[in-house]
Amino acid sequence: MSAEKNMWLAGGVHGTQVQVRFGDTDPYGIVYFVSYFRYCHRAIEEFLRAVGLPPEETFKNVQEGFGLPIVEAWGRFRRPSKYGEVLRIETRVQDVRTKAVVFRFEFYPETGRELLAEGTATLVAIGSDWRARELPARVKAALLHKT
Amino acid sequence: MSAEKNMWLAGGVHGTQVQVRFGDTDPYGIVYFVSYFRYCHRAIEEFLRAVGLPPEETFKNVQEGFGLPIVEAWGRFRRPSKYGEVLRIETRVQDVRTKAVVFRFEFYPETGRELLAEGTATLVAIGSDWRARELPARVKAALLHKT
Amino acid sequence: MSAEKNMWLAGGVHGTQVQVRFGDTDPYGIVYFVSYFRYCHRAIEEFLRAVGLPPEETFKNVQEGFGLPIVEAWGRFRRPSKYGEVLRIETRVQDVRTKAVVFRFEFYPETGRELLAEGTATLVAIGSDWRARELPARVKAALLHKT
Amino acid sequence: MSAEKNMWLAGGVHGTQVQVRFGDTDPYGIVYFVSYFRYCHRAIEEFLRAVGLPPEETFKNVQEGFGLPIVEAWGRFRRPSKYGEVLRIETRVQDVRTKAVVFRFEFYPETGRELLAEGTATLVAIGSDWRARELPARVKAALLHKT
């Protein structure tokens, strides 16, 4: 189960919220760019859970012999956010390839449509030998039929 | 506003939930003891918000000339928790002194009453000169009449 | 090998340094209490390495069937430290019991003897069944004859 | 002063080391991608210090009325690294523009030349009104004449 509220999944877009916490900011009270990447991972976790892929069985699945490490990530940070603010994250699957999936993230204020930050993360399917392999069929299906 | 669900405040006990995230564990998948202290701070933030003390105006309040730094913390970690698990935190004010407040935390599984971890945190009121001072009256009142 | 400089071990006291980094502070630029616990773990890692116990084979050792989780931690934070400051940590073994070891930490400025923060951490030896067991003899010996 | 050893600056390339710590990995003991971005920030801090720009006066400088927030970051993670490993980071200034500087990072094992990870980070100069402005002349000079 998820500990988050205010989540939704519609038209392939998953929404979640994070609150900027102590320890998420730089020494000047502004969200540290590293925290956005942490928020992105949290958004992937919630997305996966929402499409029937529990993250604790999806990032590494010993029984089925696959893993899904993040091999590339990018972020642009447009407007500063501060301690205590609530950020809305919209997450979608930007691309599903044979062996990889690319997520796209957009950060907005709790209310309003100003884009605060955006990013992408690429996950590659690997086998137990750490070599790239095809995405497991059920994972691919869940990512593609995601509404 | 809060981004959390499943929160409640009754009989002076505040409940919230955290989900164990990537980056919260040790290399063996067990919650890192440091993360429990981070969860405790989050519980304080939610508690304060629930009693009408927005944390972003309470841990440091320039206008009213006070701060509330954590000067002591303690935790006992009884049972291991793993990545993906949901933990329920019960937070209460254990003691309100003239210049300090002590919070007490108990961690339970999402369902069930087995105590997983427990802890305390002491916050002292300071003035803009970093010297201890009396808790602001409205802060003290909110902490004492907390239901 | 270690990536740290300015380390020493003499009379059972191990010294190391940490620099306060972006992300280690609260929104007001003061070291977040959670970061001190993270620094303490780092000090334990360096201590263990210095007495011939590589942490990556000591916190969990599958071959020898033991683990050393932290079951209790305490900290008192006396003086605020700021982003960019260098802190000197003195670490010693406060107590070695049959099944547990207690480390004690003291934080000082880079130069000077003002105690900034102090703490303890208790590690218990467990077997592969997560039950408490005696400290492995070679671990105990290394912790006791630590100079 | 810096708490790091094994640092060097030659031909515009700055080298530093980080040790993978508890809390830096995912639940499977592999360095979490978010930690690489944290390591990159640490590398920027060390780079700035090495060229005479103390980070605590450079990321935000109230007296001179400028700040240097990170507005974009990218990373590619090629080979997994594990808890306890020492990573060597090579940092260089990839580009200095009128209002921005781009750092490039390469991660290698403690010994060896296999590229483990790489990344970039873009910092933009802003004024006290958060609007982009020219890099302060002394900052630009230090970044350009960096050997």
Side-chain angles (χ1 to χ4, degrees):
Chain A
M1 233 208 73
S2 165
E4 309 308 314
K5 71 169 182 183
N6 291 331
M7 292 204 306
W8 42 275
L9 181 68
V13 183
H14 177 267
T16 188
Q17 289 189 334
V18 288
Q19 190 142 22
V20 178
R21 300 283 176 186
F22 247 57
D24 291 359
T25 73
D26 66 20
Y28 318 111
I30 301 301
V31 178
Y32 185 23
F33 86 102
V34 170
S35 299
Y36 284 106
F37 287 111
R38 202 157 46 75
Y39 299 157
C40 287
H41 197 280
R42 182 169 161 160
I44 297 176
E45 294 183 45
E46 296 303 332
F47 188 103
L48 291 176
R49 219 185 310 271
V51 300
L53 299 169
E56 54 276 17
E57 304 166 9
T58 305
F59 290 120
K60 182 171 181 174
N61 190 312
V62 174
Q63 279 190 315
E64 298 182 35
F66 73 89
L68 272 183
I70 291 180
V71 295
E72 193 167 352
W74 165 82
R76 184 179 289 151
F77 317 107
R78 294 170 170 276
R79 294 280 177 280
S81 296
K82 279 184 287 193
Y83 170 57
E85 290 183 6
V86 172
L87 309 181
R88 202 160 38 82
I89 313 175
E90 289 186 7
T91 306
R92 64 202 82 200
V93 169
Q94 183 175 281
D95 195 14
V96 178
R97 301 179 200 144
T98 308
K99 299 178 175 180
V101 53
V102 183
F103 285 96
R104 173 169 169 76
F105 314 94
E106 294 175 4
F107 288 78
Y108 297 98
E110 186 176 9
T111 55
R113 293 293 309 166
E114 186 191 23
L115 184 63
L116 302 174
E118 60 187 320
T120 57
T122 306
L123 287 73
V124 164
I126 57 169
S128 45
D129 57 357
W130 274 88
R131 292 207 178 177
R133 49 156 280 178
E134 290 192 9
L135 283 168
R138 68 171 185 85
V139 171
K140 192 169 187 173
L143 292 170
L144 284 172
H145 306 89
K146 53 196 174 296
T147 45
Chain B
M1 235 207 73
S2 164
E4 309 308 314
K5 72 167 181 184
N6 291 332
M7 291 203 307
W8 43 274
L9 182 67
V13 183
H14 178 266
T16 188
Q17 289 189 335
V18 289
Q19 190 142 24
V20 179
R21 301 284 176 185
F22 247 58
D24 290 0
T25 74
D26 66 19
Y28 319 111
I30 301 300
V31 177
Y32 185 24
F33 86 103
V34 170
S35 299
Y36 283 106
F37 287 110
R38 203 156 46 75
Y39 299 158
C40 287
H41 198 279
R42 181 168 161 162
I44 297 175
E45 294 183 46
E46 296 303 333
F47 187 103
L48 292 176
R49 218 185 310 271
V51 299
L53 299 170
E56 54 276 17
E57 303 167 10
T58 305
F59 290 119
K60 182 172 181 174
N61 190 312
V62 174
Q63 279 189 317
E64 298 181 36
F66 73 88
L68 272 182
I70 291 179
V71 296
E72 191 167 353
W74 166 82
R76 184 178 289 151
F77 317 106
R78 294 171 170 276
R79 295 278 177 282
S81 295
K82 280 185 286 192
Y83 170 57
E85 290 184 6
V86 173
L87 308 181
R88 200 160 39 83
I89 312 175
E90 289 187 8
T91 305
R92 67 201 81 201
V93 169
Q94 182 176 282
D95 195 14
V96 179
R97 302 179 200 144
T98 308
K99 299 178 175 181
V101 54
V102 183
F103 286 96
R104 172 169 168 78
F105 313 94
E106 294 175 4
F107 289 77
Y108 297 99
E110 187 176 8
T111 56
R113 292 293 309 167
E114 185 191 25
L115 185 62
L116 303 174
E118 60 187 319
T120 57
T122 305
L123 287 72
V124 163
I126 56 170
S128 45
D129 57 358
W130 274 88
R131 293 208 177 174
R133 49 155 281 179
E134 290 191 10
L135 282 168
R138 67 170 186 86
V139 171
K140 192 170 187 172
L143 291 170
L144 285 172
H145 306 91
K146 51 196 176 295
T147 45
Chain C
M1 234 207 71
S2 165
E4 308 309 313
K5 72 168 182 185
N6 291 332
M7 291 203 309
W8 44 274
L9 181 69
V13 183
H14 178 268
T16 189
Q17 289 189 334
V18 289
Q19 190 142 24
V20 178
R21 302 283 177 185
F22 247 60
D24 291 359
T25 73
D26 66 19
Y28 318 111
I30 302 300
V31 177
Y32 184 24
F33 86 102
V34 170
S35 299
Y36 283 106
F37 287 110
R38 203 157 45 76
Y39 299 158
C40 288
H41 197 278
R42 182 169 161 162
I44 298 176
E45 295 183 44
E46 296 303 333
F47 187 103
L48 292 176
R49 220 185 309 271
V51 299
L53 299 170
E56 54 275 17
E57 304 167 9
T58 305
F59 290 120
K60 182 172 181 174
N61 191 311
V62 174
Q63 278 190 316
E64 298 183 34
F66 73 88
L68 272 181
I70 291 179
V71 296
E72 193 166 352
W74 166 82
R76 184 179 289 150
F77 317 106
R78 293 171 170 277
R79 295 280 177 279
S81 295
K82 278 184 289 191
Y83 171 57
E85 290 184 6
V86 173
L87 309 180
R88 201 160 39 81
I89 313 175
E90 290 186 7
T91 307
R92 67 202 80 201
V93 169
Q94 182 175 282
D95 195 15
V96 178
R97 302 179 199 146
T98 308
K99 300 178 175 179
V101 53
V102 182
F103 286 95
R104 172 169 167 78
F105 313 94
E106 293 175 4
F107 289 78
Y108 297 98
E110 185 176 10
T111 56
R113 294 293 309 166
E114 186 191 23
L115 185 62
L116 303 174
E118 60 188 319
T120 57
T122 305
L123 288 73
V124 164
I126 56 168
S128 45
D129 57 357
W130 275 88
R131 293 207 177 175
R133 48 155 282 177
E134 291 192 8
L135 283 168
R138 67 171 186 86
V139 171
K140 192 169 187 174
L143 291 170
L144 285 172
H145 306 88
K146 53 195 175 296
T147 46
Chain D
M1 234 207 72
S2 165
E4 309 308 313
K5 72 169 183 186
N6 291 332
M7 291 203 308
W8 43 273
L9 181 68
V13 183
H14 178 267
T16 190
Q17 289 189 334
V18 289
Q19 191 143 23
V20 178
R21 301 282 176 187
F22 247 59
D24 290 0
T25 73
D26 66 19
Y28 319 111
I30 301 300
V31 178
Y32 184 24
F33 86 102
V34 170
S35 299
Y36 283 105
F37 287 110
R38 203 157 44 77
Y39 299 157
C40 287
H41 198 277
R42 181 169 162 161
I44 297 176
E45 294 182 46
E46 297 302 333
F47 187 104
L48 292 175
R49 219 184 311 270
V51 300
L53 298 170
E56 54 276 18
E57 302 167 9
T58 305
F59 290 120
K60 181 171 180 175
N61 191 311
V62 174
Q63 278 189 316
E64 298 182 36
F66 73 88
L68 272 182
I70 291 180
V71 296
E72 192 167 353
W74 166 83
R76 184 180 289 151
F77 317 106
R78 294 170 169 277
R79 294 278 177 281
S81 295
K82 279 185 288 193
Y83 170 57
E85 290 184 4
V86 173
L87 308 181
R88 201 160 39 80
I89 312 176
E90 289 186 9
T91 306
R92 66 203 79 202
V93 169
Q94 182 175 283
D95 195 14
V96 178
R97 302 179 199 145
T98 308
K99 299 179 175 179
V101 53
V102 182
F103 286 96
R104 173 171 168 75
F105 314 94
E106 294 175 4
F107 289 78
Y108 297 99
E110 186 176 10
T111 55
R113 292 294 308 166
E114 186 192 24
L115 184 63
L116 302 174
E118 61 188 318
T120 58
T122 305
L123 287 73
V124 164
I126 57 169
S128 45
D129 57 356
W130 275 88
R131 293 208 176 175
R133 48 154 282 177
E134 291 193 8
L135 282 168
R138 68 171 185 85
V139 171
K140 191 169 188 174
L143 291 171
L144 285 172
H145 306 90
K146 54 195 174 295
T147 46

